[in-house]
Amino acid sequence: MKEVVKFITLGCKVNQYETNAMTQKFIEEGYKIIEENNEEIIPDICIINTCTVTNMSDRKSRHMLRKMKEKNRDTIVVAVGCYAQVAKQELSKIEEIDLVLGNNEKVEIVKYVEEFLEQRQKKVETEDVMQSRKFSEFGDITFSEKTRAVIKVQDGCDRFCSYCIIPYARGRVRSRKPESIISEITKIAKSGIKEIVITGIHIASYGKDFKEDYQLIDLLEGINKIEGIQRIRLGSIEPLLITDEFVTRLKKLEKICHHFHLSLQSGCDETLKRMNRRYTTEQFEKIVKLLRNAYEDVNLTTDIIVGFPGETEEEFSKTFEFLKRVKFYKMHVFKYSPRKGTKAAVMENQVSGNIKEERSKRLIELSNKNEIEYNNKYIGKEVEVLFEEKKDGIYKGHTQNYIMIHCNTDENLENKIEKVLCKEVKYEFIIADFKG
């Protein structure tokens, strides 16, 4: 009988897609898979798909890798992914880790694991991703969540923001062939999944490595034609992707969700320049207006870094005032932490932890206020919700513009898109009544 395998996934939606892909590979080879939250069954093999976006991500990855051996000394622990890619020498010295694989090795992970099972010798297998120029294909992946499937359309990033290690973990931009993406989504649609999330390391760069002129908007127009898929949701996008032409074409696609996560990072031009972001706050504000003019119900979210090296009180005030004016629905606020191997890590005027904490609290308070105000606009209105799960007797799901809805009903709503009446705001979600 084949071994029992458990996956633990840290980090972004790209990692989640790749975990689904690796899981499918093991299932096809006859392995038994147990769920990540299953603590009762001890796996023979535990594969941890690591993240390295921050120092905290590194620590969490190391903690999870060591933790599995503490539970059972015989469990084979495999480190794979971004942290494994950039810290292979460090991980090779950790006793609890048996096998270290980089991002390029994910496609053939079953082969590497089975080689280890035969030889029982500690191994490090990571190619130099910076040399990769071709998208690594897993083939069609149909293993996913019940109601929403993550679709990876590209890998790598050429932007080299001064705080970010990811280009060194993922390599240069490589785009997936559109016919491969369409094939995968067509099969997923036949399985009954209604919503897909388009993701990648830098999806705005999709197609830039093709010889022919084919960009993200061309791909979205193709996906929009696939029968069965009712919602197309975009992952985090580079603001400069949003142009008049892009929005004009996007508006014609009825399946596109009116939720856009625009990665801002700072609302101060001086800070953005040190970050090596390639837009100004004036450009960003025009992009926001473009989307709000195009979609009446548009929901905009973002990422913000506080305490970036050299961020003075005046620079933070500019960011705060900009965010008050733009009024994002939700802001994911990160306190800057130096990441070894990046330019920002050796910059002068590093900001103290106390100042970062205080700035972070102010932005989180602003974000919470914005979210409640936005949600309150929907009280007494009907919205369509894709219900994803039932937990503690409550059905939970999202509107197409990504508002979380809770609904208590005896009807079976799972994986259905249904109309509900919004009744009450409870901070991060709205309580609604099923209309029937």
Side-chain angles (χ1 to χ4, degrees):
M1 181 180 172
K2 293 268 188 164
E3 283 81 358
V4 174
V5 180
K6 180 176 185 175
F7 280 91
I8 296 174
T9 307
L10 306 174
C12 65
K13 281 186 168 63
V14 175
N15 262 9
Q16 185 58 62
Y17 173 89
E18 290 170 347
T19 290
N20 290 343
M22 292 186 285
T23 299
Q24 184 167 307
K25 296 284 186 188
F26 276 96
I27 290 172
E28 288 169 355
E29 295 300 322
Y31 289 83
K32 180 182 178 183
I33 306 293
I34 58 171
E35 293 182 1
E36 184 171 329
N37 58 6
N38 188 329
E39 299 294 334
E40 295 177 8
I41 300 174
I42 302 296
D44 302 302
I45 303 163
C46 183
I47 299 168
I48 300 179
N49 198 355
T50 62
C51 175
T52 191
V53 72
T54 65
N55 285 338
M56 183 65 74
S57 304
D58 290 353
R59 286 198 291 273
K60 190 172 182 181
S61 294
R62 288 193 299 271
H63 171 73
M64 294 305 299
L65 288 160
R66 287 189 166 109
K67 184 179 174 184
M68 291 313 302
K69 276 289 201 229
E70 290 172 7
K71 292 184 177 180
N72 180 23
R73 296 297 301 176
D74 293 329
T75 295
I76 294 162
V77 176
V78 181
V80 68
C82 291
Y83 185 45
Q85 184 70 50
V86 299
K88 56 186 174 185
Q89 298 306 323
E90 179 185 350
L91 294 181
S92 69
K93 296 172 185 174
I94 296 177
E95 181 186 349
E96 292 89 345
I97 301 171
D98 299 296
L99 181 58
V100 179
L101 301 174
N103 279 315
N104 282 356
E105 288 66 47
K106 287 178 176 177
V107 172
E108 294 189 282
I109 189 168
V110 177
K111 181 193 83 169
Y112 287 110
V113 168
E114 290 185 342
E115 284 177 358
F116 176 84
L117 292 174
E118 289 175 10
Q119 299 166 9
R120 297 286 171 164
Q121 290 181 340
K122 187 162 185 166
K123 281 182 128 184
V124 177
E125 302 272 2
T126 64
E127 293 178 16
D128 182 359
V129 290
M130 297 303 287
Q131 302 302 316
S132 299
R133 292 294 182 269
K134 188 178 177 182
F135 184 88
S136 296
E137 275 282 1
F138 283 98
D140 289 343
I141 306 304
T142 55
F143 183 90
S144 69
E145 300 173 50
K146 290 181 182 177
T147 58
R148 179 186 291 123
V150 176
I151 308 296
K152 179 184 170 186
V153 302
Q154 67 84 228
D155 209 338
C157 181
D158 296 342
R159 308 306 267 185
F160 292 94
C161 297
S162 61
Y163 54 83
C164 187
I165 196 70
I166 296 304
Y168 304 98
R170 286 284 178 173
R172 297 285 187 172
V173 168
R174 287 101 66 207
S175 302
R176 187 176 176 188
K177 296 296 183 186
E179 54 269 25
S180 170
I181 299 167
I182 298 296
S183 170
E184 181 170 287
I185 297 174
T186 300
K187 288 182 180 178
I188 283 170
K190 289 176 181 175
S191 73
I193 286 175
K194 295 179 172 63
E195 179 176 309
I196 58 166
V197 182
I198 303 300
T199 193
I201 300 302
H202 193 262
I203 62 173
S205 294
Y206 178 81
K208 68 171 287 187
D209 53 325
F210 291 157
K211 290 180 181 178
E212 64 274 22
D213 182 17
Y214 191 92
Q215 301 170 16
L216 182 64
I217 189 63
D218 299 295
L219 176 65
L220 295 175
E221 287 170 346
I223 295 171
N224 194 70
K225 297 173 184 174
I226 298 174
E227 288 186 20
I229 296 300
Q230 296 184 42
R231 290 182 176 182
I232 304 168
R233 195 175 295 283
L234 294 177
S236 178
I237 52 177
E238 167 81 20
L240 294 176
L241 172 71
I242 308 298
T243 62
D244 284 306
E245 182 192 354
F246 183 87
V247 173
T248 299
R249 292 172 67 179
L250 199 70
K251 276 182 67 177
K252 296 175 182 176
L253 309 183
E254 72 282 359
K255 297 179 183 180
I256 291 289
C257 292
H258 302 172
H259 166 235
F260 301 93
H261 187 84
L262 304 172
S263 189
L264 173 61
Q265 306 305 355
S266 174
C268 170
D269 288 335
E270 293 88 347
T271 311
L272 287 171
K273 192 171 182 180
R274 291 198 304 279
M275 289 177 167
N276 197 31
R277 303 294 286 177
R278 304 185 188 191
Y279 48 81
T280 64
T281 51
E282 183 181 0
Q283 287 174 300
F284 193 97
E285 203 157 5
K286 286 179 180 176
I287 288 162
V288 167
K289 286 177 182 176
L290 255 181
L291 289 170
R292 285 182 170 155
N293 288 336
Y295 302 106
E296 186 181 344
D297 62 343
V298 74
N299 185 338
L300 302 178
T301 56
T302 196
D303 299 318
I304 299 292
I305 297 173
V306 296
F308 188 76
E311 185 185 63
T312 62
E313 191 59 42
E314 182 185 1
E315 287 187 359
F316 174 73
S317 294
K318 287 181 181 179
T319 289
F320 189 81
E321 291 304 315
F322 182 79
L323 295 173
K324 274 177 67 177
R325 189 165 69 249
V326 172
K327 229 172 184 180
F328 289 99
Y329 175 68
K330 186 180 288 189
M331 299 182 290
H332 302 289
V333 182
F334 300 91
K335 289 172 281 189
Y336 172 77
S337 62
R339 185 65 182 80
K340 185 180 176 183
T342 64
K343 288 184 178 180
V346 294
M347 284 181 177
E348 296 180 352
N349 301 317
Q350 298 283 331
V351 179
S352 74
N354 289 340
I355 291 174
K356 285 188 274 193
E357 182 67 29
E358 187 270 333
R359 291 175 184 174
S360 174
K361 283 181 180 177
R362 287 183 65 189
L363 292 190
I364 291 170
E365 285 173 7
L366 178 62
S367 178
N368 293 344
K369 178 173 172 286
N370 289 349
E371 187 172 4
I372 291 169
E373 282 183 12
Y374 186 93
N375 285 348
N376 269 313
K377 293 177 184 177
Y378 284 87
I379 299 306
K381 294 182 179 179
E382 285 188 4
V383 293
E384 282 193 342
V385 181
L386 171 57
F387 287 99
E388 296 142 28
E389 64 172 349
K390 186 177 185 181
K391 197 170 183 180
D392 301 324
I394 305 293
Y395 280 101
K396 300 177 182 181
H398 287 89
T399 61
Q400 58 84 19
N401 61 343
Y402 214 57
I403 298 172
M404 169 64 86
I405 302 290
H406 287 197
C407 188
N408 188 355
T409 177
D410 293 331
E411 296 286 331
N412 179 14
L413 300 182
E414 194 166 330
N415 198 29
K416 293 179 181 177
I417 296 178
E418 298 285 356
K419 281 188 176 180
V420 298
L421 179 65
C422 296
K423 300 285 285 185
E424 183 183 359
V425 173
K426 287 287 187 181
Y427 174 43
E428 288 189 317
F429 60 89
I430 294 176
I431 297 173
D433 288 342
F434 177 58
K435 293 293 292 179

